[in-house]
Amino acid sequence: MNEKFFDLNKEKQDRMINASLKFFALNGYKHASTDDIVTEAGISKGLLFHYFGSKRGLYTFLYDYSVKFMKLELTRGVIDAGNTTDYFELRKQIEFAKMQVLKNYPYMQQFLDRSKTENVKEALLAIEEQRNVLPEVYADIMSRANTSLFADNIDLAKLDAMLEYTIKGLMTEHFQDASFQPEMLYEETVSYLMMLKKLAYH
């Protein structure tokens, strides 16, 4: 990537980042169109390739930027913040950190989720170096959780999976009906977390 990208004013940087996140998130690597990206961002295709060189270069930048930005917010909001060992409070803090990210970059989480299912070689190579960073951050946070509070019949792996499906489903629903607001998504997510807490603990 051309480092001069960061010399652009922040509003223009974010326009380019958000347009790129949107089309890679919605369409995947193979079908994301750089024509759509530059139209949405209000720039020329020449300018996009001046800064990123190629579609793969853009994707690599986006993934690295997303990982760093998400990790920073998680570090600030969860890792450095609290002493809680409650599983559901830790999940709540993670979702709060994500909400802060989505205020600036609404499609960032969907982009990161989509990247996990990419099967195009170019895309896989683009994220190879950074792909384990966020899973390790999440694992580190959740390793603090006191699991002794759970009822004996609770399968934590299944609970984790159920929460991931629920949160992804809520986000998709909000985007589909054009009602997406990070605060609303967070509040709805928390309501599910608190309901499950009552069901899962002794």
Side-chain angles (χ1 to χ4, degrees):
M1 189 202 76
N2 189 330
E3 289 298 324
K4 290 187 177 179
F5 173 73
F6 290 111
D7 292 336
L8 292 170
N9 69 66
K10 189 70 168 60
E11 187 272 336
K12 193 167 191 176
Q13 287 180 39
D14 283 350
R15 273 207 331 264
M16 294 168 72
I17 290 169
N18 274 320
S20 303
L21 287 171
K22 177 180 177 179
F23 288 105
F24 280 121
L26 294 179
N27 302 327
Y29 183 85
K30 184 176 181 180
H31 299 291
S33 163
T34 52
D35 288 333
D36 290 338
I37 290 169
V38 298
T39 300
E40 178 102 353
I43 60 168
S44 69
K45 191 180 275 194
L47 190 65
L48 187 76
F49 287 115
H50 169 69
Y51 288 116
F52 301 107
S54 64
K55 185 176 177 179
R56 176 177 164 181
L58 173 61
Y59 192 84
T60 303
F61 164 78
L62 276 183
Y63 190 81
D64 291 352
Y65 186 86
S66 297
V67 166
K68 285 173 187 171
F69 199 90
M70 190 69 76
K71 183 181 178 182
L72 179 67
E73 202 58 58
L74 287 164
T75 301
R76 185 164 47 199
V78 187
I79 295 171
D80 293 344
N83 300 313
T84 185
T85 59
D86 183 274
Y87 172 92
F88 292 96
E89 287 301 318
L90 287 168
R91 291 294 307 230
K92 188 175 166 184
Q93 289 179 5
I94 287 171
E95 294 310 315
F96 186 82
K98 287 183 185 177
M99 179 187 73
Q100 301 305 319
V101 170
L102 298 182
K103 286 179 181 179
N104 293 308
Y105 303 108
Y107 286 91
M108 187 171 278
Q109 185 59 52
Q110 284 181 288
F111 167 77
L112 287 166
D113 289 341
R114 186 73 182 247
S115 71
K116 295 175 188 175
T117 60
E118 288 289 358
N119 57 9
V120 178
K121 187 177 180 181
E122 272 188 44
L124 293 172
L125 289 171
I127 69 174
E128 192 171 25
E129 287 185 19
Q130 300 288 332
R131 70 182 310 152
N132 293 321
V133 173
L134 287 177
E136 286 171 2
V137 172
Y138 291 127
D140 180 55
I141 292 170
M142 295 313 298
S143 70
R144 306 180 199 170
N146 176 5
T147 57
S148 67
L149 298 171
F150 284 98
D152 293 339
N153 64 336
I154 297 297
D155 183 324
L156 259 181
K158 287 183 179 176
L159 179 65
D160 281 336
M162 185 170 68
L163 280 169
E164 288 305 312
Y165 291 136
T166 301
I167 292 165
K168 283 180 189 175
L170 289 171
M171 184 178 290
T172 301
E173 189 177 274
H174 279 277
F175 272 97
Q176 282 177 343
D177 66 11
S179 67
F180 178 73
Q181 293 177 23
E183 294 88 351
M184 284 177 63
L185 177 65
Y186 172 70
E187 286 174 14
E188 203 168 347
T189 301
V190 168
S191 73
Y192 279 89
L193 287 170
M194 294 304 100
M195 181 182 71
L196 284 168
K197 181 175 180 176
K198 288 178 184 176
L199 295 171
Y201 281 178
H202 291 295

